[in-house]
Amino acid sequence: QSGTFQQDPNKAKRAKDALERKKREEGKRRDFEDRMKRKAKREGRPLDFYLSQGAAPPTKEIIERLKKLPSEEAFQEWKIHYSQHCFAFHFGTKKSDGSGIGGCE
């Protein structure tokens, strides 16, 4: 079927907007990391102290163990050990839209 293809006039604009958004988000992340490094330095801790805290993902076994605890108790333990990961996503209360934005994938 020749002649059915239609050029998307907004494709280039969407790509440009996405690139600008990505650069802006990377800048925010860089600022955050710099703030956390300054905080750690001020407190005499290793520079990556706040950046590495809670970064390791939980295993399936840990998630299963936490699911057996009362909700508040599980959340408190989660905040201590896995704070950089989405509690709601891992516990099935938040559904991913597949975009990779706003939750763990």
Side-chain angles (χ1 to χ4, degrees):
Q1 289 180 332
S2 64
T4 59
F5 175 77
Q6 291 183 350
Q7 182 72 28
D8 183 356
N10 298 321
K11 183 177 181 180
K13 183 182 181 334
R14 283 196 315 271
K16 180 182 176 193
D17 291 346
L19 182 61
E20 288 174 0
R21 186 172 47 256
K22 180 179 178 184
K23 286 181 181 179
R24 194 169 48 250
E25 293 300 322
E26 286 173 351
K28 288 180 186 179
R29 178 67 190 184
R30 210 170 18 259
D31 292 346
F32 167 76
E33 289 178 358
D34 290 344
R35 259 193 333 273
M36 293 300 104
K37 288 176 185 176
R38 286 193 306 270
K39 181 178 179 180
K41 185 176 181 180
R42 226 180 10 253
E43 296 174 354
R45 300 176 188 259
L47 292 182
D48 69 342
F49 180 78
Y50 291 107
L51 298 174
S52 62
Q53 210 172 33
T59 63
K60 288 180 182 180
E61 293 80 18
I62 290 171
I63 291 173
E64 292 305 315
R65 181 179 60 79
L66 291 175
K67 283 182 177 180
K68 294 176 184 174
L69 297 176
S71 180
E72 187 58 33
E73 189 178 331
F75 184 66
Q76 292 305 318
E77 186 171 334
W78 187 272
K79 285 192 332 185
I80 293 168
H81 300 289
Y82 310 104
S83 59
Q84 292 189 33
H85 298 274
C86 180
F87 180 85
F89 178 82
H90 286 284
F91 282 78
T93 58
K94 177 180 180 179
K95 301 296 180 202
S96 171
D97 62 4
S99 69
I101 298 171
C104 298
E105 287 296 319

Short mmCIF file of all heavy atoms in Angstrom, two decimals, residues 31-71:
data_model
loop_
_atom_site.label_atom_id
_atom_site.label_comp_id
_atom_site.label_asym_id
_atom_site.label_seq_id
_atom_site.Cartn_x
_atom_site.Cartn_y
_atom_site.Cartn_z
N ASP A 31 23.07 18.48 40.61
CA ASP A 31 22.96 19.40 41.75
C ASP A 31 22.69 18.64 43.04
O ASP A 31 23.27 18.94 44.09
CB ASP A 31 21.84 20.42 41.50
CG ASP A 31 22.15 21.38 40.37
OD1 ASP A 31 23.33 21.46 39.95
OD2 ASP A 31 21.20 22.06 39.91
N PHE A 32 21.79 17.66 42.96
CA PHE A 32 21.48 16.85 44.13
C PHE A 32 22.72 16.11 44.64
O PHE A 32 23.02 16.10 45.83
CB PHE A 32 20.37 15.84 43.79
CG PHE A 32 20.19 14.76 44.82
CD1 PHE A 32 19.55 15.02 46.01
CD2 PHE A 32 20.70 13.48 44.60
CE1 PHE A 32 19.38 14.02 46.96
CE2 PHE A 32 20.54 12.49 45.54
CZ PHE A 32 19.89 12.75 46.73
N GLU A 33 23.45 15.47 43.71
CA GLU A 33 24.65 14.74 44.10
C GLU A 33 25.68 15.67 44.72
O GLU A 33 26.31 15.31 45.72
CB GLU A 33 25.23 14.01 42.89
CG GLU A 33 24.39 12.83 42.46
CD GLU A 33 24.92 12.12 41.23
OE1 GLU A 33 25.93 12.56 40.65
OE2 GLU A 33 24.30 11.11 40.83
N ASP A 34 25.85 16.85 44.16
CA ASP A 34 26.78 17.82 44.73
C ASP A 34 26.37 18.22 46.15
O ASP A 34 27.21 18.32 47.05
CB ASP A 34 26.89 19.07 43.85
CG ASP A 34 27.59 18.80 42.53
OD1 ASP A 34 28.27 17.75 42.41
OD2 ASP A 34 27.45 19.64 41.61
N ARG A 35 25.06 18.44 46.36
CA ARG A 35 24.56 18.79 47.70
C ARG A 35 24.84 17.67 48.69
O ARG A 35 25.27 17.92 49.82
CB ARG A 35 23.04 19.03 47.65
CG ARG A 35 22.64 20.45 47.63
CD ARG A 35 21.16 20.68 47.89
NE ARG A 35 20.23 19.64 47.55
CZ ARG A 35 19.65 19.47 46.37
NH1 ARG A 35 19.95 20.25 45.37
NH2 ARG A 35 18.78 18.50 46.19
N MET A 36 24.61 16.42 48.28
CA MET A 36 24.82 15.29 49.19
C MET A 36 26.31 15.11 49.50
O MET A 36 26.68 14.75 50.63
CB MET A 36 24.24 14.00 48.59
CG MET A 36 22.73 14.00 48.49
SD MET A 36 21.90 14.19 50.07
CE MET A 36 21.36 15.89 50.00
N LYS A 37 27.17 15.36 48.53
CA LYS A 37 28.61 15.28 48.77
C LYS A 37 29.06 16.35 49.75
O LYS A 37 29.87 16.09 50.64
CB LYS A 37 29.38 15.39 47.45
CG LYS A 37 29.27 14.16 46.58
CD LYS A 37 29.97 14.37 45.25
CE LYS A 37 29.76 13.19 44.32
NZ LYS A 37 30.35 13.43 43.00
N ARG A 38 28.54 17.57 49.58
CA ARG A 38 28.90 18.65 50.50
C ARG A 38 28.42 18.32 51.92
O ARG A 38 29.13 18.55 52.90
CB ARG A 38 28.30 19.98 50.04
CG ARG A 38 28.98 20.59 48.85
CD ARG A 38 28.57 22.03 48.61
NE ARG A 38 27.13 22.24 48.50
CZ ARG A 38 26.43 22.18 47.37
NH1 ARG A 38 27.04 21.91 46.22
NH2 ARG A 38 25.14 22.40 47.38
N LYS A 39 27.22 17.78 52.03
CA LYS A 39 26.69 17.41 53.34
C LYS A 39 27.57 16.35 54.00
O LYS A 39 27.90 16.45 55.18
CB LYS A 39 25.26 16.88 53.17
CG LYS A 39 24.59 16.48 54.47
CD LYS A 39 23.17 16.03 54.23
CE LYS A 39 22.51 15.60 55.53
NZ LYS A 39 21.13 15.17 55.34
N ALA A 40 27.95 15.32 53.23
CA ALA A 40 28.80 14.26 53.77
C ALA A 40 30.16 14.83 54.19
O ALA A 40 30.67 14.48 55.26
CB ALA A 40 28.99 13.16 52.73
N LYS A 41 30.71 15.70 53.38
CA LYS A 41 32.01 16.30 53.69
C LYS A 41 31.93 17.12 54.98
O LYS A 41 32.79 17.03 55.85
CB LYS A 41 32.48 17.19 52.53
CG LYS A 41 33.85 17.76 52.72
CD LYS A 41 34.27 18.53 51.48
CE LYS A 41 35.67 19.09 51.65
NZ LYS A 41 36.10 19.84 50.47
N ARG A 42 30.84 17.89 55.11
CA ARG A 42 30.63 18.70 56.31
C ARG A 42 30.55 17.83 57.55
O ARG A 42 31.03 18.22 58.63
CB ARG A 42 29.29 19.45 56.14
CG ARG A 42 29.30 20.87 56.49
CD ARG A 42 27.98 21.60 56.33
NE ARG A 42 26.77 20.86 56.06
CZ ARG A 42 26.14 20.82 54.89
NH1 ARG A 42 26.62 21.47 53.86
NH2 ARG A 42 25.03 20.14 54.75
N GLU A 43 29.96 16.65 57.41
CA GLU A 43 29.79 15.74 58.55
C GLU A 43 30.97 14.80 58.74
O GLU A 43 30.95 13.95 59.62
CB GLU A 43 28.51 14.93 58.37
CG GLU A 43 27.27 15.80 58.38
CD GLU A 43 26.00 15.03 58.07
OE1 GLU A 43 26.09 13.82 57.72
OE2 GLU A 43 24.93 15.63 58.16
N GLY A 44 32.01 14.91 57.89
CA GLY A 44 33.18 14.06 58.02
C GLY A 44 32.95 12.62 57.57
O GLY A 44 33.64 11.71 58.03
N ARG A 45 32.01 12.41 56.69
CA ARG A 45 31.70 11.07 56.19
C ARG A 45 32.31 10.90 54.79
O ARG A 45 32.69 11.87 54.16
CB ARG A 45 30.19 10.87 56.10
CG ARG A 45 29.48 11.01 57.44
CD ARG A 45 27.98 10.88 57.22
NE ARG A 45 27.23 11.19 58.42
CZ ARG A 45 26.71 10.29 59.23
NH1 ARG A 45 26.89 9.02 58.99
NH2 ARG A 45 26.03 10.64 60.29
N PRO A 46 32.37 9.66 54.29
CA PRO A 46 32.82 9.46 52.90
C PRO A 46 31.89 10.23 51.95
O PRO A 46 30.69 10.34 52.20
CB PRO A 46 32.68 7.95 52.68
CG PRO A 46 32.66 7.36 54.05
CD PRO A 46 32.08 8.39 54.96
N LEU A 47 32.44 10.76 50.87
CA LEU A 47 31.66 11.61 49.97
C LEU A 47 30.44 10.90 49.38
O LEU A 47 29.43 11.53 49.09
CB LEU A 47 32.53 12.15 48.85
CG LEU A 47 33.60 13.16 49.28
CD1 LEU A 47 34.37 13.65 48.06
CD2 LEU A 47 33.00 14.32 50.04
N ASP A 48 30.51 9.59 49.21
CA ASP A 48 29.36 8.88 48.62
C ASP A 48 28.40 8.33 49.68
O ASP A 48 27.49 7.57 49.36
CB ASP A 48 29.84 7.76 47.71
CG ASP A 48 30.48 6.61 48.48
OD1 ASP A 48 30.88 6.80 49.64
OD2 ASP A 48 30.58 5.52 47.91
N PHE A 49 28.56 8.74 50.92
CA PHE A 49 27.76 8.19 52.02
C PHE A 49 26.26 8.29 51.74
O PHE A 49 25.54 7.30 51.80
CB PHE A 49 28.09 8.91 53.34
CG PHE A 49 27.30 8.41 54.51
CD1 PHE A 49 27.64 7.22 55.13
CD2 PHE A 49 26.20 9.11 54.98
CE1 PHE A 49 26.90 6.74 56.20
CE2 PHE A 49 25.46 8.65 56.05
CZ PHE A 49 25.81 7.46 56.66
N TYR A 50 25.77 9.47 51.42
CA TYR A 50 24.33 9.65 51.19
C TYR A 50 23.89 9.14 49.83
O TYR A 50 22.73 8.77 49.65
CB TYR A 50 23.94 11.12 51.36
CG TYR A 50 24.04 11.57 52.80
CD1 TYR A 50 25.07 12.41 53.21
CD2 TYR A 50 23.13 11.13 53.74
CE1 TYR A 50 25.17 12.80 54.54
CE2 TYR A 50 23.23 11.51 55.07
CZ TYR A 50 24.25 12.35 55.46
OH TYR A 50 24.36 12.71 56.77
N LEU A 51 24.80 9.11 48.89
CA LEU A 51 24.44 8.64 47.55
C LEU A 51 24.32 7.13 47.46
O LEU A 51 23.56 6.60 46.67
CB LEU A 51 25.46 9.16 46.53
CG LEU A 51 25.53 10.67 46.41
CD1 LEU A 51 26.67 11.07 45.49
CD2 LEU A 51 24.22 11.24 45.91
N SER A 52 25.09 6.43 48.29
CA SER A 52 25.05 4.97 48.23
C SER A 52 24.07 4.37 49.23
O SER A 52 23.74 3.19 49.14
CB SER A 52 26.45 4.40 48.48
OG SER A 52 26.90 4.76 49.77
N GLN A 53 23.57 5.19 50.14
CA GLN A 53 22.65 4.71 51.16
C GLN A 53 21.33 4.28 50.52
O GLN A 53 20.68 5.05 49.84
CB GLN A 53 22.39 5.85 52.14
CG GLN A 53 22.09 5.44 53.52
CD GLN A 53 22.04 6.65 54.44
OE1 GLN A 53 21.64 7.72 54.05
NE2 GLN A 53 22.47 6.46 55.67
N GLY A 54 20.97 3.03 50.69
CA GLY A 54 19.71 2.52 50.16
C GLY A 54 19.71 2.26 48.67
O GLY A 54 18.67 2.08 48.07
N ALA A 55 20.89 2.21 48.05
CA ALA A 55 20.96 2.05 46.60
C ALA A 55 20.85 0.59 46.15
O ALA A 55 20.36 0.33 45.06
CB ALA A 55 22.27 2.64 46.07
N ALA A 56 21.27 -0.34 46.99
CA ALA A 56 21.22 -1.76 46.60
C ALA A 56 19.76 -2.21 46.55
O ALA A 56 19.01 -1.97 47.49
CB ALA A 56 22.00 -2.60 47.60
N PRO A 57 19.35 -2.85 45.47
CA PRO A 57 17.96 -3.29 45.37
C PRO A 57 17.67 -4.47 46.30
O PRO A 57 18.55 -5.28 46.57
CB PRO A 57 17.82 -3.71 43.91
CG PRO A 57 19.19 -4.05 43.49
CD PRO A 57 20.12 -3.18 44.27
N PRO A 58 16.44 -4.57 46.79
CA PRO A 58 16.08 -5.70 47.65
C PRO A 58 15.93 -6.98 46.82
O PRO A 58 15.57 -6.93 45.65
CB PRO A 58 14.74 -5.28 48.23
CG PRO A 58 14.17 -4.38 47.18
CD PRO A 58 15.34 -3.65 46.58
N THR A 59 16.23 -8.10 47.44
CA THR A 59 16.04 -9.38 46.75
C THR A 59 14.59 -9.80 46.88
O THR A 59 13.83 -9.26 47.70
CB THR A 59 16.94 -10.46 47.38
OG1 THR A 59 16.52 -10.65 48.74
CG2 THR A 59 18.41 -10.08 47.34
N LYS A 60 14.18 -10.79 46.10
CA LYS A 60 12.81 -11.31 46.18
C LYS A 60 12.54 -11.86 47.58
O LYS A 60 11.44 -11.72 48.11
CB LYS A 60 12.59 -12.40 45.14
CG LYS A 60 12.52 -11.86 43.73
CD LYS A 60 12.30 -12.97 42.73
CE LYS A 60 12.27 -12.38 41.33
NZ LYS A 60 12.06 -13.41 40.32
N GLU A 61 13.55 -12.50 48.17
CA GLU A 61 13.39 -13.07 49.51
C GLU A 61 13.12 -11.98 50.54
O GLU A 61 12.28 -12.13 51.42
CB GLU A 61 14.63 -13.88 49.91
CG GLU A 61 14.85 -15.13 49.10
CD GLU A 61 15.50 -14.88 47.74
OE1 GLU A 61 16.09 -13.80 47.51
OE2 GLU A 61 15.38 -15.78 46.88
N ILE A 62 13.84 -10.86 50.41
CA ILE A 62 13.64 -9.75 51.35
C ILE A 62 12.25 -9.16 51.19
O ILE A 62 11.56 -8.88 52.17
CB ILE A 62 14.74 -8.68 51.16
CG1 ILE A 62 16.08 -9.23 51.64
CG2 ILE A 62 14.38 -7.40 51.89
CD1 ILE A 62 17.28 -8.38 51.31
N ILE A 63 11.82 -9.00 49.95
CA ILE A 63 10.48 -8.45 49.71
C ILE A 63 9.42 -9.38 50.30
O ILE A 63 8.48 -8.92 50.96
CB ILE A 63 10.25 -8.22 48.21
CG1 ILE A 63 11.14 -7.07 47.73
CG2 ILE A 63 8.78 -7.91 47.92
CD1 ILE A 63 11.14 -6.85 46.24
N GLU A 64 9.58 -10.67 50.11
CA GLU A 64 8.61 -11.62 50.67
C GLU A 64 8.60 -11.55 52.19
O GLU A 64 7.53 -11.62 52.81
CB GLU A 64 8.92 -13.05 50.19
CG GLU A 64 8.66 -13.26 48.71
CD GLU A 64 7.25 -12.88 48.29
OE1 GLU A 64 6.28 -13.25 48.99
OE2 GLU A 64 7.11 -12.20 47.26
N ARG A 65 9.78 -11.42 52.81
CA ARG A 65 9.85 -11.33 54.27
C ARG A 65 9.17 -10.06 54.76
O ARG A 65 8.40 -10.08 55.72
CB ARG A 65 11.31 -11.36 54.74
CG ARG A 65 11.46 -11.29 56.26
CD ARG A 65 12.91 -11.33 56.69
NE ARG A 65 13.70 -10.24 56.18
CZ ARG A 65 13.71 -9.00 56.68
NH1 ARG A 65 12.94 -8.70 57.70
NH2 ARG A 65 14.49 -8.07 56.17
N LEU A 66 9.41 -8.95 54.07
CA LEU A 66 8.80 -7.68 54.47
C LEU A 66 7.29 -7.68 54.27
O LEU A 66 6.56 -7.04 55.04
CB LEU A 66 9.44 -6.51 53.70
CG LEU A 66 10.89 -6.19 54.05
CD1 LEU A 66 11.43 -5.11 53.13
CD2 LEU A 66 11.02 -5.78 55.51
N LYS A 67 6.81 -8.39 53.27
CA LYS A 67 5.36 -8.46 53.04
C LYS A 67 4.63 -9.14 54.19
O LYS A 67 3.44 -8.90 54.40
CB LYS A 67 5.06 -9.20 51.73
CG LYS A 67 5.30 -8.35 50.51
CD LYS A 67 4.95 -9.11 49.25
CE LYS A 67 5.13 -8.25 48.02
NZ LYS A 67 4.78 -8.94 46.77
N LYS A 68 5.34 -9.97 54.95
CA LYS A 68 4.73 -10.67 56.08
C LYS A 68 4.64 -9.79 57.32
O LYS A 68 3.93 -10.12 58.26
CB LYS A 68 5.52 -11.94 56.39
CG LYS A 68 5.44 -12.97 55.28
CD LYS A 68 6.31 -14.16 55.57
CE LYS A 68 6.30 -15.13 54.38
NZ LYS A 68 7.24 -16.23 54.58
N LEU A 69 5.37 -8.67 57.32
CA LEU A 69 5.36 -7.76 58.47
C LEU A 69 4.18 -6.80 58.37
O LEU A 69 3.65 -6.58 57.28
CB LEU A 69 6.66 -6.93 58.49
CG LEU A 69 7.98 -7.68 58.67
CD1 LEU A 69 9.15 -6.71 58.56
CD2 LEU A 69 8.00 -8.38 60.02
N PRO A 70 3.79 -6.20 59.51
CA PRO A 70 2.78 -5.14 59.44
C PRO A 70 3.28 -4.02 58.52
O PRO A 70 4.49 -3.75 58.46
CB PRO A 70 2.66 -4.66 60.89
CG PRO A 70 3.16 -5.80 61.72
CD PRO A 70 4.20 -6.49 60.87
N SER A 71 2.39 -3.38 57.82
CA SER A 71 2.73 -2.40 56.80
C SER A 71 3.70 -1.32 57.30
O SER A 71 4.70 -1.02 56.64
CB SER A 71 1.46 -1.75 56.27
OG SER A 71 1.78 -0.81 55.29
#
